[in-house]
Amino acid sequence: MAISTSAMSFGTSVSSYSCLRASSFEKSSVLCNTQNPFRFNSLFSIGKSHGSSRCSVSRKSCRVRATLLQENEEEVVVEKSFAPKSFPGNVGGGSNGEPPDDSSSNGLEKWVIKLEQSVNILLTDSVIKILDTLYHDRNYARFFVLETIARVPYFAFISVLHMYESFGWWRRADYMKVHFAESWNEMHHLLIMEELGGNAWWFDRFLAQHIAIFYYFMTVLMYALSPRMAYHFSECVESHAYETYDKFIKDQGEELKNLPAPKIAVDYYTGGDLYLFDEFQTSREPNTRRPKIDNLYDVFMNIRDDEAEHCKTMKACQTHGSLRSPHTNPCDESEDDTGCPVPQADCIGIVDCIKKSVTDPQVIKR
């Protein structure tokens, strides 16, 4: 199957508090926009043909829920959800989990979203302050703690989705695949930090592992009650990770260029089957990002860029049902093609799942 990607364009808008941090090897800039914070980027990628006429579907018909970066683009942009402290005057589109304008509960739903995101930001800011105090001059130890924490939500999501599948409440395989790939990526970040000596101190291992245990059960509960809130919390964590690595690269870049890359990083980014590496980057076409690893600088550049991709995936997930695996055949999105079945069972959180299982027996139909 041959894939050709046409020109891509995108528009960006975020809330008054949000800043888009863009960085490259030579320069970095911070972009702020205060207009229409509920609106999210959309991009239509065109040009994919198949030998089978039944599944010959233009990329225009496929829903893309996160911003795509062009392969030759130098900047990496992290987009944040709208600010919880202020609401936009123009609500629409249902992006980031907000309800459409014609919803009778629109006002209440907006305040629920505001409360969820305010709690998330309060929690992440509190953890960041603790880490800043403990690890202000110990970068690799800080990264070890961050990566131990960052991989937790993805297998927490999978745990809840497995439970839903056991009751017949959930049949969206793309979520399972993407979340596993995200966990796989974060696990390799953790292995890299361990090889660099980030886990040398007993205290660092003790702190990271116990935070991870608490974070796991918190995420399971949060995800069961409100997937939107859990995805936003993970977006906040990934955004902090991106900013941390970005600052480290700017401060230590020249020194990192003279240090060798860990073997685990070379093996993960350049060797073997890169299917899972492509799978977690839902904003990209498969095979469009192939990192180079010549030194430790390249390693941290790629880890930082991975965190940016996680941010975009987590933002897309806040709109229920929007996530699609990069490897999903585009005919799966075609309403006219009966040869590409779409799973039927679906619900939002455990309350909605129980309600639908009682009121609509079809929800548990296999």
Side-chain angles (χ1 to χ4, degrees), residues 40-61:
F40 69 107
N41 292 341
S42 60
L43 181 145
F44 297 91
S45 170
I46 308 171
K48 186 171 182 180
S49 59
H50 303 271
S52 173
S53 60
R54 185 181 67 177
C55 290
S56 177
V57 180
S58 169
R59 276 287 179 184
K60 286 183 177 180
S61 65

Side-chain angles (χ1 to χ4, degrees), residues 63 161 165 169-178 320-323 333 342-347:
R63 296 174 297 171
L161 295 180
E165 282 192 339
W169 293 344
W170 186 270
R171 290 294 182 270
R172 289 184 179 270
D174 282 8
Y175 280 75
M176 303 285 282
K177 292 193 297 179
V178 170
H320 177 69
S322 67
L323 187 66
E333 296 295 323
V342 177
Q344 298 297 318
D346 185 25
C347 51

Side-chain angles (χ1 to χ4, degrees), residues 11 27-28 53 80 90 106 128 184 204 212 224 232 264 267 323:
K27 64 180 181 178
S28 65
S53 60
K80 296 180 181 179
N90 182 17
N106 185 34
I128 290 170
W184 187 257
D204 299 327
H232 178 262
I264 185 66
D267 293 343
L323 187 66

Side-chain angles (χ1 to χ4, degrees), residues 27 29 66 73 86 115 129 141 154 195 200 220 243 281 324:
K27 64 180 181 178
S29 60
E73 192 171 337
S86 60
L115 177 61
K129 289 179 181 178
Y154 303 117
E195 191 166 334
V220 167
E243 293 170 358
Q281 302 178 75
R324 189 168 67 89

Side-chain angles (χ1 to χ4, degrees), residues 338-359:
T338 58
C340 303
V342 177
Q344 298 297 318
D346 185 25
C347 51
I348 308 174
I350 192 168
V351 175
D352 185 51
C353 288
I354 294 175
K355 178 181 177 181
K356 286 185 176 180
S357 66
V358 174
T359 61

Side-chain angles (χ1 to χ4, degrees), residues 52-277:
S52 173
S53 60
R54 185 181 67 177
C55 290
S56 177
V57 180
S58 169
R59 276 287 179 184
K60 286 183 177 180
S61 65
C62 297
R63 296 174 297 171
V64 180
R65 302 296 182 178
T67 306
L68 302 186
L69 298 182
Q70 297 183 22
E71 178 61 17
N72 61 354
E73 192 171 337
E74 294 183 356
E75 295 181 335
V76 176
V77 179
V78 174
E79 299 176 9
K80 296 180 181 179
S81 298
F82 62 88
K85 295 181 180 179
S86 60
F87 275 99
N90 182 17
V91 181
S95 65
N96 294 322
E98 83 277 12
D101 283 332
D102 57 356
S103 173
S104 59
S105 61
N106 185 34
L108 176 61
E109 187 75 5
K110 283 169 34 178
W111 284 107
V112 170
I113 295 172
K114 179 178 180 179
L115 177 61
E116 291 175 351
Q117 298 199 352
S118 297
V119 171
N120 287 343
I121 291 175
L122 177 63
L123 290 174
T124 52
D125 285 348
S126 299
V127 174
I128 290 170
K129 289 179 181 178
I130 295 174
L131 295 179
D132 287 343
T133 302
L134 295 175
Y135 298 102
H136 65 278
D137 58 350
R138 300 177 56 230
N139 290 312
Y140 291 161
R142 181 190 183 105
F143 298 153
F144 167 76
V145 174
L146 280 177
E147 296 301 343
T148 303
I149 296 172
R151 63 191 292 259
V152 168
Y154 303 117
F155 57 81
F157 299 158
I158 293 173
S159 298
V160 177
L161 295 180
H162 268 297
M163 181 188 72
Y164 289 171
E165 282 192 339
S166 299
F167 290 101
W169 293 344
W170 186 270
R171 290 294 182 270
R172 289 184 179 270
D174 282 8
Y175 280 75
M176 303 285 282
K177 292 193 297 179
V178 170
H179 291 333
F180 176 79
E182 288 176 305
S183 177
W184 187 257
N185 175 257
E186 297 289 10
M187 183 193 73
H188 282 84
H189 292 178
L190 180 62
L191 294 175
I192 291 171
M193 298 313 157
E194 290 179 349
E195 191 166 334
L196 292 172
N199 65 333
W201 289 17
W202 174 87
F203 171 78
D204 299 327
R205 299 193 300 272
F206 179 87
L207 179 66
Q209 292 163 2
H210 284 76
I211 291 177
I213 292 173
F214 173 79
Y215 187 22
Y216 171 80
F217 288 105
M218 185 192 78
T219 304
V220 167
L221 177 62
M222 185 184 296
Y223 192 63
L225 296 177
S226 174
R228 177 186 59 213
M229 183 178 183
Y231 284 131
H232 178 262
F233 189 84
S234 186
E235 180 192 353
C236 292
V237 173
E238 298 293 0
S239 178
H240 170 68
Y242 171 88
E243 293 170 358
T244 302
Y245 286 120
D246 189 58
K247 183 178 184 299
F248 177 70
I249 290 170
K250 292 173 184 176
D251 293 342
Q252 312 265 348
E254 292 305 317
E255 180 182 348
L256 294 173
K257 291 177 181 178
N258 298 320
L259 298 174
K263 182 179 183 300
I264 185 66
V266 176
D267 293 343
Y268 175 67
Y269 284 108
T270 65
D273 186 0
L274 295 178
Y275 178 93
L276 287 176
F277 179 73

